[in-house]
Amino acid sequence: MNRGISAPYLTAINGIKEYNAVRSERDGKKPSAFVLTLGCQQNEADSEKITGMALSMGYTLSDSPEGTDLIVVNTCAIREHAEQRALSLIGQYKHLKAVNPDIIIAVCGCMTARSERADLLKNSYPYVDIVFGTASLQRLPEFIYDRINGSKRIFAEDDDYSVAEGLPIKRESSFKAWVSVMYGCNNFCSYCIVPYVRGRERSRAPEDIIGEVRDIVGEGYKDITLLGQNVNSYGSETGGKFDFPGLLESLAKIDGDFTLRFMTSHPKDVSDRLISVMAENERVAKHFHLPLQSGSDKVLREMNRKYDSQKYLGTVEKLRAAMPDIAITSDIIVGFPGESEEDFEMTLEIVKKAEFDMIYPFIYSPREGTPAARREDMIPDAVKSERFDRLILLQNELSKKKNEAWLGRTVKVLVDGMSKKGNGLYTGRTDGGKLVHINSEKVKIGEFTEIKITGADTYALYSDEK
Ligand code: SAH
Ligand code: SF4
Ligand code: F3S
């Protein structure tokens, strides 16, 4: 079930707007908000709603926490390091409360859904005013309104996992956009905390997504990434009334000059139809992010991934047969409990066979509450790091080779920023998502351009033709 904007939301927005108008008058400047985003693209997309709400509440946006009136920290829980980082950053805001007792400090995102972390924030971070989970995002104005009206510190439990539509979005970029198509995850990979902190899968209605994409294409957005933990199961809770290939096909029909991307796909259910919709629609970027996690069938089974190395390689083959230029990227975890040297070598083997354009390697981090974290055959840190280094070394070689294959070709790129490297003046991204340093004065940020690739290394492509 989807829901729109609620009456308490509107009351809170209006109440805070009035409160902020009075303070603006008093202080001669508008109150400001600082939003810090940790974690993945889902959190970035959520933060764009938080900044959208902050603007509706009459705050201006600040890019530093100093001197602001509202701080929102959007946390991640995927690995221990992510949580430690969040806690240490929150720790740095203590002195801001001492300087300005009216400041409101809110912490949200995946880490707050872990009761031990929520308790820690409650007991050891007394200057944190509000703690709320990802399913309560749209209630932020209510929490702030209650707090400025003198309520106790707020620790909200996520109790309503329906999809909230209609929240304002302040996008970071004027040409790249995230569009969430679904929330949550049902897969319960044995190492992963996401299903516990983001709840079960729920999909947005296709008409809401199509409407949003049509609007942003109309505003000039050029690069649109559809987001979900496992986009292949989009619509599965509707018993097949709608599905991801169908959604992608409808979106690709929208008029305009734009590219569609999506992430993430689970290898267990990449359908032939998805591959053909990608191949047949020019607007769908020829990039597939397909997390492998491990090349050992034993480890994959223990990870509860529901595919084996053969099925994985079969999908890679199908993708390459349908789209010879496709870029394939992956996530890999090293040091899963019980991973033997042989298991790890199987991962290296499949990495070689799959010829990924790039990988995101991760060292296994036990997450309390997940089945893998209860195992007693943990891999020593030194072994994990050694495997991690070997994997990177291998992939660096392969990435270089994959990038060099583009030498001499003319490709379409979206120019997306200024380059700090080599001769480059600008940076851009190819259809496959590869970074290109462009040495030309003729291109413009936010626009597509055709350039010739004249250089390549492990990390990037280069275009040196003026
Ligand atoms: N939904 C996506 C990925 C979400 S998390 C998918 O299924 O592919 C992004 C990546 O973090 C995962 O692909 C995995 O490689 C990594 N990851 C998740 N849990 C982890 C853990 N406990 N330790 C190390 N890496 C982990
Ligand atoms: Fe985590 Fe697996 Fe869900 Fe991805 S599919 S979010 S790795 S449980
Ligand atoms: Fe993303 Fe981290 Fe949550 S990776 S889904 S922000 S745990």
Side-chain angles (χ1 to χ4, degrees):
M1 263 302 289
N2 295 353
R3 64 195 143 130
I5 293 294
S6 68
Y9 173 91
L10 290 174
T11 308
I13 292 271
N14 290 328
I16 302 163
K17 218 155 64 186
E18 270 174 41
Y19 170 84
N20 281 339
V22 172
R23 288 197 309 166
S24 281
E25 188 83 357
R26 185 193 70 192
D27 303 339
K29 68 174 174 56
K30 259 187 157 188
S32 63
F34 170 69
V35 180
L36 178 78
T37 311
L38 306 167
C40 67
Q41 291 85 354
Q42 313 268 339
N43 264 15
E44 288 182 29
D46 285 350
S47 283
E48 292 184 343
K49 292 184 180 148
I50 296 171
T51 46
M53 288 190 278
L55 290 172
S56 305
M57 290 183 269
Y59 292 96
T60 56
L61 300 179
S62 165
D63 48 19
S64 133
E66 308 293 327
T68 54
D69 303 273
L70 169 68
I71 294 180
V72 184
V73 187
N74 196 357
T75 62
C76 171
I78 200 80
R79 283 168 287 275
E80 179 67 24
H81 175 73
E83 294 195 339
Q84 291 308 337
R85 182 145 174 259
L87 292 169
S88 117
L89 286 161
I90 297 163
Q92 291 172 20
Y93 302 147
K94 184 178 180 185
H95 75 282
L96 297 176
K97 191 80 162 193
V99 178
N100 172 15
D102 286 341
I103 191 174
I104 292 184
I105 301 180
V107 181
C108 63
C110 296
M111 184 184 83
T112 65
R114 310 216 312 123
S115 56
E116 59 274 42
R117 294 307 190 191
D119 288 347
L120 185 71
L121 289 169
K122 195 177 208 164
N123 301 325
S124 307
Y125 296 75
Y127 49 91
V128 169
D129 297 279
I130 302 166
V131 176
F132 63 106
T134 57
S136 304
L137 198 70
Q138 66 292 340
R139 296 190 58 206
L140 176 63
E142 291 170 56
F143 301 146
I144 297 176
Y145 194 46
D146 286 350
R147 188 70 179 144
I148 59 185
N149 282 313
S151 85
K152 286 205 196 113
R153 298 168 70 209
I154 296 165
F155 294 86
E157 297 267 330
D158 280 341
D159 51 11
D160 181 355
Y161 280 91
S162 56
V163 172
E165 291 293 347
L167 292 179
I169 301 176
K170 170 75 180 94
R171 297 186 198 274
E172 278 276 321
S173 159
S174 56
F175 51 91
K176 282 188 188 186
W178 310 118
V179 173
S180 294
V181 300
M182 59 183 298
Y183 305 94
C185 182
N186 289 355
N187 289 313
F188 290 95
C189 301
S190 65
Y191 49 82
C192 184
I193 196 72
V194 172
Y196 305 89
V197 294
R198 283 205 172 246
R200 293 300 73 71
E201 285 173 359
R202 58 248 182 235
S203 302
R204 291 178 69 195
E207 57 274 20
D208 289 329
I209 300 168
I210 294 167
E212 182 175 341
V213 172
R214 195 174 281 135
D215 287 351
I216 59 181
V217 167
E219 288 166 28
Y221 279 85
K222 297 278 191 297
D223 189 276
I224 296 166
T225 305
L226 309 174
L227 290 180
Q229 290 300 344
N230 175 13
V231 292
N232 308 106
S233 16
Y234 171 74
S236 62
E237 74 273 30
T238 66
K241 262 205 296 199
F242 43 87
D243 63 9
F244 190 65
L247 177 72
L248 200 58
E249 202 162 32
S250 313
L251 294 173
K253 287 201 187 101
I254 293 175
D255 267 343
D257 185 19
F258 67 99
T259 300
L260 280 170
R261 304 176 182 280
F262 56 88
M263 65 191 307
T264 299
S265 293
H266 195 302
K268 76 176 158 60
D269 42 24
V270 176
S271 66
D272 291 349
R273 206 167 138 243
L274 176 59
I275 298 177
S276 60
V277 168
M278 269 186 97
E280 284 157 19
N281 286 282
E282 216 187 304
R283 290 210 178 99
V284 182
K286 303 302 176 266
H287 174 201
F288 216 96
H289 184 62
L290 193 62
L292 164 67
Q293 313 300 4
S294 169
S296 151
D297 291 342
K298 172 186 150 269
V299 174
L300 285 172
R301 219 167 26 247
E302 291 171 2
M303 286 177 161
N304 192 28
R305 288 291 285 180
K306 303 192 178 84
Y307 56 85
D308 59 17
S309 54
Q310 217 181 337
K311 176 168 162 78
Y312 185 92
L313 283 174
T315 305
V316 168
E317 255 168 50
K318 279 189 202 168
L319 286 167
R320 291 240 158 86
M323 295 163 278
D325 277 341
I326 196 167
I328 303 180
T329 55
S330 199
D331 293 348
I332 293 176
I333 297 178
V334 303
F336 183 80
E339 181 191 67
S340 64
E341 173 60 24
E342 291 71 41
D343 291 322
F344 174 65
E345 281 168 14
M346 288 181 211
T347 300
L348 296 180
E349 266 325 292
I350 205 168
V351 165
K352 277 186 216 153
K353 284 191 186 143
E355 295 192 351
F356 295 122
D357 288 81
M358 193 174 78
I359 59 165
Y360 298 88
F362 301 106
I363 290 182
Y364 170 72
S365 167
R367 308 314 292 132
E368 210 180 318
T370 61
R374 290 192 282 273
R375 289 181 55 157
E376 284 172 2
D377 46 357
M378 292 294 165
I379 305 297
D381 285 349
V383 177
K384 287 201 256 188
S385 337
E386 187 253 351
R387 289 182 188 165
F388 184 75
D389 293 346
R390 278 160 70 198
L391 177 60
I392 291 181
L393 216 60
L394 169 64
Q395 181 57 43
N396 283 353
E397 251 174 65
L398 297 169
S399 296
K400 185 157 184 273
K401 219 172 85 191
K402 290 298 274 187
N403 286 346
E404 283 171 352
W406 287 87
L407 282 171
R409 292 182 64 178
T410 298
V411 297
K412 184 179 173 186
V413 297
L414 177 62
V415 183
D416 65 355
M418 303 302 293
S419 172
K420 296 177 197 81
K421 225 184 140 203
N423 295 333
L425 292 172
Y426 292 94
T427 57
R429 294 273 165 183
T430 66
D431 194 48
K434 287 184 191 286
L435 170 66
V436 194
H437 295 278
I438 310 165
N439 186 14
S440 162
E441 281 165 25
K442 288 187 221 133
V443 302
K444 209 167 149 217
I445 294 181
E447 293 196 352
F448 288 114
T449 184
E450 299 261 330
I451 52 157
K452 189 169 171 194
I453 302 300
T454 55
D457 63 21
T458 300
Y459 307 102
L461 302 176
Y462 299 83
S463 176
D464 259 330
E465 280 190 6
K466 300 269 161 90

